[in-house]
Amino acid sequence: MKKVIKLRKGLDIQLAGKAEKRKLSIRQSVEFALVPDDFTGITPKVVVREDDRVKAGEPLFVDKNCPEVKFASPVSGVVTAVERGERRKVLCVKVKADEQQDFAAFGKKDVDSLTGEDVKNVLLEAGLFGYINQLPYAVVANPADTPKSIFVSALRDKPLAGDFEFELAGQEHDWQTGLTALSKMAKTYLGVGSKQTADALLNAKDVEVAIFDGPCPAGNVGVQVNHLDPVNKGEIVWIVEPTAVIFFGRLFNEGRVDLTRTVAVAGSEVKNPAYVDALVGTPLKSILDDQIDEGKNIRIINGNPLTGSRDTMDGYLGAHTSVVSVIPEGDDAAEMLGWILPRFDQFSTSRSYFSWLFPKKKYRLDARVKGGERHIIMSGEYDRVLPMDIYGEYLIKAIIAGDIDRQEQLGIYEVSPEDFALAEFVDSSKLELQKIVREGLNILRKENG
């Protein structure tokens, strides 16, 4: 019998423009790019030069501190640019794609006959190991470490997030192969939602399936780790985004790297919210072509509105991005009487607006913060949306104060920035909690070597 974990804390934010379960074709792109910032915690070292020819699956850059961790090109073609920013930081590596794709051959593998070390070596050779993250620190995993467990969450419940069951359809074989591969390296947990019904999820083999019943952020892998196998000091767990599991399965079944993923294009400013099949590194212009009115004042988000990064039409699909969101910017809005109005069209977690009378209404929210940063208020706001066995407000205060001992006592090793996304949304102090948590994790990682 599968373990069912019921969560009461959290918040579902209903936004207009959720992707319909149908696929649209996109304009074929000529140039693709891999962005090192998509892989948190690495120091990229570019191993190609302009005009070099690469095959799909060959490395574009490696982690300077761990050179065996490579990052594969999504396409074959000619390297057109290595873009750098301040202090020569690598921003992206661009590749002009061939009309006929050429894949690096890694050979088909029978996963059942492999050991955990074999699986790890195959992922390292193919440049896919970097799609595995770890807790603590929420960074790319170190292949030299031995995790006590591996977590995969198939539940996407953030605003405008895509439906993984829709993405999974037709790819069940690669999905199961990827799960089996992970299980060779450590005990693997698969978190699914109570409303998910796909047989490939509920009856997945070689993993322990746990069902999470509750509002967002029940799908956060950090929440699932907290309830199934909490991380203590000195322990490590690996976390894998569900699409990466499919990437791994394709590698073993087909012997090549195929970074095609199904992406939701969603948001109130999208003309036809739906899904598209696109490679990692596809220009957002190709994905959003004819989908938005560029004359409008909009915000393009590489990801979902809670945890995604602000981008432009010149950006590229992120390595872990499952949804491209487009919402109003809001800086051109003019409201007579402001907050005094009853605000039937605005969402509020309190009863300040009358929106609480319409719990199922979908809102067209913009990107405004609606308030200035102020002193942190110990009001229990965070705890109402943080279904983890930690004291969120005290942890944030400890990070701001730089009290490392206190941070460790309050459970910083088992959190990632995304776990505080909802707390940031409801925070009346308007603090950038995800940024604060990331800075705290970076300092702690540096302190611990």
Side-chain angles (χ1 to χ4, degrees):
M1 186 174 179
K2 297 176 179 62
K3 188 172 185 178
V4 178
I5 299 174
K6 295 188 177 182
L7 305 176
R8 295 186 178 181
K9 294 181 178 180
L11 176 67
D12 288 325
I13 305 171
Q14 302 293 338
L15 296 186
K18 192 172 180 65
E20 298 178 10
K21 293 182 180 180
R22 57 191 177 88
K23 287 188 179 181
L24 301 176
S25 59
I26 63 173
R27 179 168 56 85
Q28 293 300 311
S29 176
V30 175
E31 192 172 62
F32 295 76
L34 200 62
V35 179
D37 278 352
D38 291 340
F39 304 96
T40 306
I42 72 159
T43 302
K45 178 182 178 182
V46 180
V47 294
V48 293
R49 298 179 179 178
E50 289 187 22
D51 298 325
D52 280 357
R53 177 166 288 281
V54 295
K55 296 180 180 180
E58 291 184 339
L60 297 179
F61 53 85
V62 301
D63 182 1
K64 187 176 182 180
N65 300 317
C66 190
E68 61 266 37
V69 179
K70 310 169 187 176
F71 297 89
S73 173
V75 294
S76 68
V78 176
V79 177
T80 57
V82 178
E83 289 196 355
R84 296 181 183 269
E86 294 182 5
R87 303 178 70 176
R88 293 188 57 76
K89 176 185 176 180
V90 181
L91 301 179
C92 67
V93 180
K94 296 182 178 181
V95 179
K96 182 179 179 182
D98 294 330
E99 288 188 14
Q100 192 70 32
Q101 287 295 292
D102 187 13
F103 293 86
F106 298 101
K108 297 180 181 180
K109 303 286 192 304
D110 178 9
V111 175
D112 291 327
S113 66
L114 301 180
T115 65
E117 197 64 27
D118 293 334
V119 170
K120 185 191 299 183
N121 290 335
V122 172
L123 295 178
L124 287 168
E125 182 187 4
L128 292 184
F129 186 87
Y131 287 81
I132 301 176
N133 286 349
Q134 71 163 55
L135 289 178
Y137 312 127
V139 295
V140 171
N142 186 337
D145 293 332
T146 301
K148 67 170 183 172
S149 54
I150 299 174
F151 282 81
V152 180
S153 173
L155 173 59
R156 293 180 178 146
D157 56 3
K158 293 186 177 65
L160 300 180
D163 185 342
F164 181 66
E165 285 187 289
F166 182 77
E167 178 181 348
L168 180 59
Q171 304 186 88
E172 292 85 354
H173 179 52
D174 291 335
W175 165 254
Q176 182 57 62
T177 300
L179 290 177
T180 301
L182 292 176
S183 71
K184 296 288 184 175
M185 295 189 284
K187 181 177 181 178
T188 302
Y189 293 91
L190 172 62
V192 302
S194 60
K195 295 180 181 179
Q196 291 180 304
T197 59
D199 184 69
L201 298 180
L202 297 179
N203 296 312
K205 301 175 183 177
D206 304 317
V207 296
E208 183 173 315
V209 178
I211 299 174
F212 286 81
D213 183 7
C216 177
N220 275 19
V221 72
V223 172
Q224 297 181 7
V225 170
N226 183 265
H227 284 83
L228 294 173
D229 193 12
V231 182
N232 298 309
K233 187 175 182 179
E235 296 178 335
I236 292 173
V237 300
W238 286 355
I239 54 182
V240 184
E241 200 263 334
T243 304
V245 176
I246 297 175
F247 292 166
F248 299 167
R250 288 179 190 150
L251 172 64
F252 290 104
N253 290 333
E254 301 175 12
R256 65 181 188 177
V257 172
D258 182 355
L259 298 181
T260 303
R261 63 185 305 154
T262 300
V263 181
V265 183
S268 59
E269 306 310 291
V270 175
K271 295 177 182 177
N272 298 298
Y275 292 80
V276 299
D277 287 332
L279 282 165
V280 168
T282 299
L284 295 183
K285 189 172 183 63
S286 296
I287 295 174
L288 296 174
D289 189 35
D290 298 328
Q291 282 279 33
I292 60 175
D293 183 354
E294 294 190 52
K296 288 186 177 180
N297 199 18
I298 58 175
R299 176 170 295 192
I300 297 171
I301 304 171
N302 210 325
N304 67 78
L306 283 182
T307 63
S309 58
R310 185 176 184 176
D311 218 321
T312 68
M313 291 288 276
D314 295 325
Y316 298 88
L317 183 68
H320 299 284
T321 298
S322 60
V323 56
V324 176
S325 312
V326 187
I327 62 175
E329 185 65 51
D331 57 3
D332 57 346
E335 298 176 337
M336 178 181 256
L337 301 179
W339 59 269
I340 299 176
L341 295 174
R343 302 260 186 148
F344 290 101
D345 61 342
Q346 294 290 312
F347 180 81
S348 174
T349 56
S350 68
R351 296 196 172 185
S352 302
Y353 306 155
F354 285 98
S355 57
W356 63 273
L357 294 169
F358 311 100
K360 295 184 179 181
K361 181 177 179 179
K362 296 185 183 296
Y363 295 89
R364 180 179 178 268
L365 302 186
D366 56 46
R368 287 177 293 168
V369 177
K370 297 182 181 177
E373 186 174 313
R374 56 191 74 112
H375 294 295
I376 188 169
I377 301 170
M378 301 296 287
S379 61
E381 287 178 312
Y382 303 172
D383 291 335
R384 287 195 288 269
V385 296
L386 191 61
M388 301 174 71
D389 188 21
I390 61 173
Y391 294 104
E393 291 172 340
Y394 290 97
L395 177 56
I396 292 295
K397 288 182 70 175
I399 295 173
I400 293 172
D403 188 339
I404 292 177
D405 290 338
R406 186 71 172 151
Q407 292 172 41
E408 292 179 343
Q409 294 168 6
L410 290 168
I412 193 171
Y413 288 116
E414 55 185 298
V415 302
S416 62
E418 74 166 358
D419 295 325
F420 282 81
L422 271 175
E424 183 176 299
F425 177 79
V426 304
D427 184 19
S428 54
S429 299
K430 308 298 180 183
L431 299 178
E432 295 183 76
L433 300 184
Q434 294 181 79
K435 182 179 179 182
I436 291 171
V437 173
R438 170 46 61 199
E439 291 173 350
L441 290 171
N442 289 345
I443 292 171
L444 203 63
R445 186 184 181 208
K446 186 176 180 181
E447 285 289 329
N448 291 334

